[in-house]
Amino acid sequence: MPKTRSSRVLIVGALLLMIVAVGLFAAACGSSTETTTTAAPATDTTAAPASTETTAAPATDTTAPASTDTTAAAPSAAGYTFGMLLVGPYNDHGWSQANYEAGQYVEQKTGAKMIYVDKVNTADRPGTTPEQLAEDLVNQGAKMIFFTSDDMKDGVVAFAKAHPDIPVLFTSGDTAWKDGKDFQNLPNVSDIMGKMEYGKMMAGAAAALTTQTGKIGFLGPLINDETRRLAASAYLGARYAWTEILKKDPAQLKFTVNWIGFWFNIPGVTSDPTQVADNFFQQGYDVVISGIDTTEALVEAGKLAANGKKVWAIPYDFAGSLDEAPTVALGVPYFNWGPAYVKAVTLAASGKWASFWDWNAPDWTDINNPDTSAVGFKKGQGLSADASAQLDEFIKALAGGLNLWKGPLNLQDGTVYLKDGEVATDQQIWYLPQLLQGMEGQSVSK
Amino acid sequence: MADLAARVRDHFTRERWINIGLQIGALVLALVLTTVILVAAGAPPLSAYWQIIKGAVGSVTGFSNVLVAWVPLLLAASGVLVTFAAGLWNIGVEGQIVFGAVLTTWVMRLMQDTAMSPALVIIIALIAGMVGGALWAALAGVLKTFGGVNEIFGGLGLNYVAAALTLWLIFGPWKRPGIGSMSGTEPFPDKLALPTIAGLRLSPWSLGLGILAVIIVYILLERTYFGLKLKATGASNRAAFLLGVPTWQYGLVAFLACGALAGLAGAVQVTAVYHRLIPSISSGYGYLGLMIGMLIAYRAAWVAPIALFFAALNIGSIQLPIVLKLDSTLSGVLQGALVLFVVLVEGARQRYLRRAGLKPGGA
């Protein structure tokens, strides 16, 4: 009977396949030792030539003498492995890539080795938590963990409590700030943030110096203390350039913030940043400053410019992001986490880890020095020669002590934020409760 | 007669072997496909599989994380089985998990500052989750029964509504002070968490709930008259109706049961895993549960091992980006391929049996 024969063929076939599967499996087990070791990241950890730039170690304004003296001696953390959690893809041309490349910088400067997980958010990795992924990194050999997004705060706290012996660095956090509102006594947690307020002021100034319609759009991520103060900084820079440099009527400057809901696009969850940027441009906003982790605003500006529209954009976070649409980019305020991360890894590797909170300013002697400046601004081709010169003057003024976080300043609802002549404290800036008067857009998420 | 009985017995044993062989074949085909994808991506397939295995069972923490993922999968998959038995494609299970989590969170928010004992709050919260899931499922059921809306479309729509509702709550009325955060609502105090085993994230209580659910569903479907009638409804609604089974009532009950189990999964996610409501609180376990249901085609006895396998794949695959710089969605590819091939092989089997003049039996 044919059915018996074919069923036999099927059984024999299935058995054969099963044997193959078992064989594959056995082979997998057998070859595991070699394959796992070759899997290490292909970075060039060839005894970092740390001697060259160490003279310029983070002497800017950070308060850690430990890092300066330890980095002076060649590779200080060779053989040390640190783990990094990135909220977005490691190659996002934005926030996550800036962190990732800082990790590579640490590898180069200290000889330490980085392992990482990217896309650490519950939309991309459902069913996981940052603390769980951090433990996976620890199991793979990480001796300290970088949590590189404000969104990982709960994970930081949970992980730090469960593993009090493992140094934790929380980028952009305030949990280790003794004078902060969210201070938590976790001795193994330190926080690092760059004073991006300056970078955003420069971005705002570049936008105001360029706009022809007087309308600047700010593509915001989600609404929190950090994003409010950064959007406000961009506005302060724009207003200064508009009224003090260009001597124009403040009433003619429109500055609108539109929040998408998260640091990057999550289809179906956030607003589509491409769409939001496009709306800005269609409504006559000719410069869009991006506050999100990715480069949609610049890409969209590039597309529209290719069709003859006069529009520009300013990306964020990552120095290399200008390449997405070089001709319409006015510049990019970016984080340079490298020096601060070298400090952190060096401290941890040498057993000197202690809780600190660093809010690092740019190195005003050269804001774009990769070895010293926590925050930089890289100009783009879209910035005209005039505007570029005026921006330089502005940067020089900032370096000389110009403070735009000075009264009189009102909050968006009209209440007084800073009285005339009053200078904002770090707390007032960090925890800015609303957008400022003169800015349009939501101050608090509804 | 004896001759016939022997032939039938003979047929069944042979068929049983064929089935096992076919399913192993499907597994191998899925592995082959995944391997081809890995090779095409320039990745070493063997070490990729090895990393998945090591990540899942290579350490106590790893395996306990697998069990943490296993619980909601068990609940969702066994819930889905009940609706499958009644011939219903309850794709809305995802939304039922979400709405269960929403009600759990709501109840906990109401009671977290009261003097009520934490244990009581947690119990009420878990029940609230079940009620929430059942309510959401009842919506799909009512739409189907009285509105003539196919449960697939109704369920899918309700999934989106549940997800949107969660986002609105997290960024709106339930937001953290001053901040709408993707990381969810403010975490509940530690005392309102289901107790975990020291040093691990696994709660023996949620594990117990998951296992209990599978056992109940198994007994319900395989050992009760109710289960028999439910399956009769699923096999042929009209025939069951003519034989006196109140079919639409049975369908609704199946929806409610599945919803309650899914809602419990959501409640466990809130009380034992995330300790707050997050935007993707269901973690896709509803859809994974559906895949498991399809993979095991009704047989409740298989829920536990296959769900464990899927949970292990999910947790183990996290090693891929860490060690091999591969995307961990590979586990999704493997799971999808597996379901696809099993369904495909099943189709081929039935076709073959029909051609051979045999009535296709249960899968």
Side-chain angles (χ1 to χ4, degrees):
Chain A
M1 269 158 66
K3 68 168 192 274
T4 3
R5 198 167 56 236
S6 43
S7 54
R8 270 195 205 118
V9 169
L10 270 173
I11 292 173
V12 172
L15 282 174
L16 274 176
L17 284 170
M18 198 161 82
I19 291 163
V20 172
V22 170
L24 276 173
F25 186 75
C29 300
S31 65
S32 66
T33 37
E34 307 94 72
T35 42
T36 44
T37 43
T38 51
T43 42
D44 43 351
T45 42
T46 44
S51 53
T52 44
E53 289 99 356
T54 39
T55 45
T60 41
D61 75 335
T62 49
T63 48
S67 67
T68 35
D69 51 54
T70 42
T71 44
S76 46
Y80 189 78
T81 302
F82 61 98
M84 191 180 281
L85 301 176
L86 303 164
V87 69
Y90 74 93
N91 56 354
D92 66 353
H93 294 268
W95 173 271
S96 291
Q97 189 163 354
N99 276 283
Y100 175 72
E101 293 196 355
Q104 290 183 317
Y105 176 91
V106 172
E107 288 185 320
Q108 206 188 75
K109 291 285 173 191
T110 68
K113 184 180 155 235
M114 167 171 64
I115 53 176
Y116 70 94
V117 195
D118 65 350
K119 298 194 273 182
V120 178
N121 63 78
T122 50
D124 279 323
R125 298 199 188 281
T128 64
T129 59
E131 62 268 32
Q132 173 191 342
L133 296 169
E135 277 172 14
D136 280 318
L137 289 174
V138 170
N139 287 338
Q140 289 287 351
K143 299 279 184 285
M144 81 178 287
I145 302 290
F146 284 71
F147 290 76
T148 64
S149 170
D150 85 311
D151 227 47
M152 299 176 184
K153 186 174 147 193
D154 303 325
V156 168
V157 173
F159 180 83
K161 278 183 183 162
H163 305 274
D165 49 330
I166 297 180
V168 171
L169 191 115
F170 181 21
T171 306
S172 80
D174 59 343
T175 49
W177 187 11
K178 293 207 170 55
D179 306 320
K181 282 185 196 168
D182 296 327
F183 176 70
Q184 305 216 21
N185 192 12
L186 297 164
N188 55 329
V189 179
S190 294
D191 301 333
I192 287 178
M193 187 56 180
K195 287 196 170 164
M196 181 45 79
E197 290 66 29
Y198 291 112
K200 288 293 184 187
M201 287 177 201
M202 297 167 202
L209 293 169
T210 304
T211 179
Q212 295 173 350
T213 60
K215 293 165 90 173
I216 299 169
F218 188 94
L219 179 67
L222 47 91
I223 310 177
N224 66 19
D225 296 327
E226 175 186 335
T227 61
R228 267 193 296 264
R229 70 174 185 263
L230 292 182
S233 298
Y235 169 70
L236 289 174
R239 199 184 64 168
Y240 180 85
W242 188 259
T243 57
E244 304 302 314
I245 300 177
L246 298 175
K247 308 288 180 202
K248 289 189 183 174
D249 176 9
Q252 297 298 312
L253 180 71
K254 200 170 160 83
F255 190 102
T256 304
V257 183
N258 216 329
W259 309 99
I260 65 162
F262 193 53
W263 290 104
F264 46 82
N265 184 31
I266 302 176
V269 175
T270 62
S271 311
D272 181 354
T274 302
Q275 204 64 50
V276 175
D278 193 57
N279 284 345
F280 269 134
F281 291 130
Q282 300 305 344
Q283 289 164 21
Y285 292 80
D286 58 351
V287 183
V288 171
I289 302 172
S290 174
I292 66 171
D293 283 1
T294 47
T295 55
E296 284 87 349
L298 181 58
V299 172
E300 193 60 17
K303 275 189 214 150
L304 292 175
N307 291 326
K309 221 169 154 74
K310 285 189 94 73
V311 292
W312 298 269
I314 300 176
Y316 178 39
D317 288 327
F318 175 61
S321 60
L322 295 177
D323 305 340
E324 298 281 308
T327 53
V328 295
L330 298 182
V332 56
Y334 65 91
F335 287 103
N336 179 36
W337 301 105
Y341 285 6
V342 165
K343 170 191 166 182
V345 169
T346 311
L347 281 174
S350 60
K352 292 177 190 154
W353 187 254
S355 185
F356 62 83
W357 178 81
D358 280 357
W359 198 6
N360 298 323
D363 175 1
W364 289 113
T365 57
D366 177 7
I367 59 168
N368 290 315
N369 185 331
D371 300 313
T372 57
S373 191
V375 171
F377 187 89
K378 190 175 165 190
K379 288 179 195 164
Q381 295 169 27
L383 196 66
S384 72
D386 285 351
S388 175
Q390 288 163 323
L391 182 63
D392 284 338
E393 286 305 311
F394 176 61
I395 294 172
K396 208 180 280 175
L398 286 175
L402 170 67
N403 190 346
L404 301 186
W405 285 92
K406 192 175 164 185
L409 274 180
N410 286 350
L411 296 175
Q412 198 182 37
D413 66 3
T415 53
V416 175
Y417 171 59
L418 296 172
K419 291 193 285 283
D420 196 2
E422 187 187 356
V423 173
T425 62
D426 276 358
Q427 281 84 352
Q428 280 175 308
I429 297 176
W430 188 280
Y431 300 108
L432 180 69
Q434 291 175 31
L435 296 181
L436 298 174
Q437 200 167 51
M439 303 171 75
E440 284 176 24
Q442 237 175 290
S443 261
V444 181
S445 62
K446 282 178 188 135
Chain B
M1 279 301 270
D3 189 22
L4 182 66
R7 273 185 59 189
V8 167
R9 197 166 51 239
D10 185 28
H11 162 68
F12 274 120
T13 40
R14 208 170 57 229
E15 189 179 301
R16 197 188 171 89
W17 276 109
I18 295 174
N19 285 343
I20 293 172
L22 282 172
Q23 301 208 329
I24 292 168
L27 175 64
V28 172
L29 280 174
L31 273 173
V32 167
L33 181 76
T34 319
T35 308
V36 167
I37 291 170
L38 279 170
V39 170
L46 297 184
S47 59
Y49 294 133
W50 176 243
Q51 285 303 330
I52 293 180
I53 295 166
K54 214 170 74 169
V57 296
S59 67
V60 177
T61 351
F63 189 64
S64 72
N65 287 338
V66 170
L67 293 180
V68 170
W70 188 43
V71 170
L73 268 182
L74 274 183
L75 291 165
S78 43
V80 158
L81 274 203
V82 180
T83 39
F84 264 147
L88 297 164
W89 288 84
N90 183 16
I91 207 162
V93 62
E94 186 79 14
Q96 289 146 28
I97 297 178
V98 173
F99 198 68
V102 166
L103 273 207
T104 298
T105 311
W106 180 61
V107 165
M108 285 173 78
R109 288 178 66 88
L110 286 182
M111 298 189 296
Q112 64 176 338
D113 296 323
T114 62
M116 228 185 274
S117 96
L120 189 63
V121 173
I122 292 173
I123 291 170
I124 297 173
L126 290 175
I127 294 171
M130 295 180 74
V131 171
L135 277 176
W136 212 244
L139 275 179
V142 167
L143 278 173
K144 156 103 180 170
T145 314
F146 303 109
V149 180
N150 185 303
E151 75 275 10
I152 295 180
F153 301 121
L156 210 53
L158 286 167
N159 288 353
Y160 278 100
V161 176
L165 175 73
T166 318
L167 281 175
W168 174 72
L169 287 169
I170 289 171
F171 285 95
W174 293 354
K175 68 170 183 279
R176 297 179 185 211
I179 303 168
S181 167
M182 277 297 283
S183 54
T185 57
E186 190 74 27
F188 292 112
D190 289 346
K191 63 174 191 206
L192 289 184
L194 269 181
T196 54
I197 299 168
L200 302 176
R201 261 180 293 282
L202 179 65
S203 163
W205 294 96
S206 62
L207 192 62
L209 285 174
I211 293 171
L212 189 67
V214 178
I215 294 173
I216 290 175
V217 167
Y218 177 82
I219 294 173
L220 185 77
L221 292 184
E222 306 294 333
R223 296 280 180 271
T224 65
Y225 192 49
F226 174 85
L228 190 69
K229 286 201 280 192
L230 202 61
K231 284 193 208 170
T233 317
S236 167
N237 203 306
R238 190 172 156 72
F241 181 74
L242 291 177
L243 286 171
V245 178
T247 50
W248 69 260
Q249 292 91 328
Y250 266 67
L252 265 187
V253 169
F255 267 119
L256 289 176
C258 178
L261 289 171
L264 184 59
V268 164
Q269 289 287 90
V270 172
T271 52
V273 181
Y274 288 105
H275 311 299
R276 60 186 189 273
L277 187 65
I278 62 166
S280 43
I281 189 74
S282 70
S283 306
Y285 290 142
Y287 293 125
L288 267 187
L290 275 169
M291 289 206 345
I292 293 169
M294 275 188 264
L295 196 59
I296 62 177
Y298 299 98
R299 292 157 306 177
W302 282 90
V303 170
I306 298 294
L308 188 66
F309 177 62
F310 271 46
L313 270 180
N314 268 21
I315 298 299
S317 66
I318 293 164
Q319 299 302 316
L320 295 179
I322 298 177
V323 181
L324 294 174
K325 311 275 172 288
L326 284 174
D327 204 291
S328 62
T329 43
L330 187 76
S331 68
V333 172
L334 187 56
Q335 286 161 347
L338 199 57
V339 173
L340 198 67
F341 281 116
V342 166
V343 172
L344 212 65
V345 164
E346 169 63 15
R349 188 188 70 96
Q350 298 218 355
R351 211 185 147 102
Y352 156 74
L353 287 175
R354 259 199 302 276
R355 240 204 350 247
L358 284 168
K359 200 169 143 268

